[in-house]
Amino acid sequence: MKAWRFYGTNKPLKLEEVPEPHAKAGEVVVDMKAVGLCHTDVGFLTDPGWMTGHTVPFTLGHEDAGVVSEVGEGVEGFKVGDRVAICPTTSAGTPGGSFDGGYGEKVEIGAQALVPIPDSVDFVRGAAATDAGMTSYHAVATRAAVKKGENVCIIGVGGLGQIGARVAYLLGANLYVAEVKESAWPMAKDLGAIDVKKSVADFAADGIKFDKVIDFAGFGTTTAQAIEACNKHGVVVLVGMGRLESTINTKALIMSQVDLRGSNGGIKEDIAGVYELMASGKLDPVTTKIPFSEIPEGLKKLQAGDVRGRLVAVYE
């Protein structure tokens, strides 16, 4: 089978023929139908800090959706032909990290990682839900615990933030969006935003304060501004890693008793929650599709910020 193989930081992916995997006891093989492209993959390609404990070459790709083609001994609840996604945070490990992932035509995985994809959800959205959807849903619904009637600001409506914004709206929040790209403002309004500005500080300057702010950008200044834009006992959830440090106003943090929380990934139930919203028609994230052959070019576009919504490669 064909796979895009990773040979190290600052080295191009190579399209190679590799042996097909086979399901061991407790495992399945999934024929890939769609795989999401993520900034984590860009990190492997550009930053040696991502290489801790990894042996090259291996196949990236941790946002995987496809069809079960082989079932190992002892597997229950799944059969050949089932439409499934792979949760990247289970005890089975992370495809594209712990073992070869979805930038190849097949993935071998422990059955505990599988999440059924509803018939009404296509593979493109199915793949996007496994990381972007899961991470966004977990940050908004669990870590921020957004409730009906709360003033909530989502910072950044890219591949993750657009899903987070829609989830906050569906949970009944008074949704506001901070997004530097004015070209994304119409989409933010379509997601349910009452208003959109370039920064959360612009809302605060107009006298609008927030109960919850979820920062999907994480550029340091965005997090600092989020703290200062909170009501007393407000919550700031940091998801984005645009910068790995931030200088914050500790007086604002203390005097308003703001709770600053990190959020990373999620669980299978978060993916299932995203699928439920997708199947109902209430959540339909913007995606950009490319063919499997263009994965390297797609990662370059992702690195350059030249992607609308979530970028997904499809297998045809």
Side-chain angles (χ1 to χ4, degrees):
M1 71 174 194
K2 293 181 179 179
W4 285 104
R5 302 288 278 173
F6 171 73
Y7 276 85
T9 304
N10 296 318
K11 295 181 180 179
L13 297 181
K14 294 183 178 180
L15 185 60
E16 297 180 344
E17 287 286 339
V18 298
E20 290 191 6
H22 294 284
K24 304 179 185 68
E27 296 182 341
V28 302
V29 171
V30 178
D31 287 2
M32 294 301 303
K33 297 297 182 182
V35 58
L37 278 64
C38 180
H39 281 284
T40 298
D41 302 326
V42 174
F44 273 110
L45 287 164
T46 60
D47 185 347
W50 288 90
M51 281 299 296
T52 304
H54 292 85
T55 301
V56 296
F58 65 93
T59 307
L60 292 168
H62 59 273
E63 298 186 13
D64 306 327
V67 175
V68 175
S69 61
E70 185 179 336
V71 176
E73 182 181 356
V75 172
E76 297 181 354
F78 294 96
K79 64 183 184 303
V80 172
D82 283 350
R83 304 170 74 252
V84 297
I86 297 173
C87 177
T89 60
T90 71
S91 59
T94 304
S98 307
F99 51 88
D100 289 339
Y103 289 0
E105 293 177 318
K106 296 176 181 284
V107 172
E108 176 188 353
I109 183 71
Q112 68 266 38
L114 300 183
V115 183
I117 301 176
D119 291 339
S120 59
V121 176
D122 63 21
F123 288 113
V124 171
R125 291 182 296 164
T130 59
D131 187 9
M134 173 187 70
T135 300
S136 304
Y137 187 94
H138 186 76
V140 173
T142 301
R143 296 295 288 155
V146 167
K147 296 178 177 62
K148 184 177 181 179
E150 290 183 327
N151 274 11
V152 173
C153 185
I154 300 293
I155 302 178
V157 284
L160 275 72
Q162 60 157 325
I163 298 174
R166 185 62 179 171
V167 170
Y169 172 80
L170 292 173
L171 289 172
N174 302 317
L175 175 65
Y176 297 81
V177 167
E179 170 57 60
V180 295
K181 294 181 180 178
E182 292 188 27
S183 60
W185 288 14
M187 179 180 70
K189 286 293 188 71
D190 290 341
L191 293 170
I194 294 170
D195 197 7
V196 189
K197 295 184 183 296
K198 286 194 172 183
S199 77
V200 67
D202 291 339
F203 287 117
D206 287 345
I208 300 174
K209 291 277 191 167
F210 299 102
D211 303 302
K212 311 281 175 65
V213 181
I214 301 94
D215 184 1
F216 286 98
F219 278 96
T221 54
T222 56
T223 309
Q225 291 169 352
I227 292 170
E228 297 187 37
C230 274
N231 289 318
K232 193 168 186 178
H233 302 295
V235 173
V236 175
V237 175
L238 178 57
V239 184
M241 298 175 69
R243 297 288 184 275
L244 299 184
E245 64 281 322
S246 177
T247 300
I248 64 172
N249 182 340
T250 54
K251 179 181 178 182
L253 184 76
I254 294 166
M255 297 305 293
S256 293
Q257 299 185 62
V258 173
D259 190 350
L260 175 59
R261 306 171 184 172
S263 187
N264 178 30
I267 57 178
K268 286 173 60 174
E269 288 75 12
D270 294 319
I271 298 175
V274 172
Y275 285 154
E276 184 177 347
L277 294 176
M278 286 179 170
S280 72
K282 296 177 181 179
L283 176 64
D284 187 15
V286 175
T287 57
T288 297
K289 294 187 293 184
I290 60 172
F292 169 76
S293 61
E294 294 182 8
I295 284 177
E297 291 78 9
L299 290 168
K300 291 177 182 178
K301 290 182 178 179
L302 188 62
Q303 182 182 6
D306 189 24
V307 174
R308 184 171 183 266
R310 198 63 172 176
L311 187 60
V312 179
V314 295
Y315 295 72
E316 297 177 350

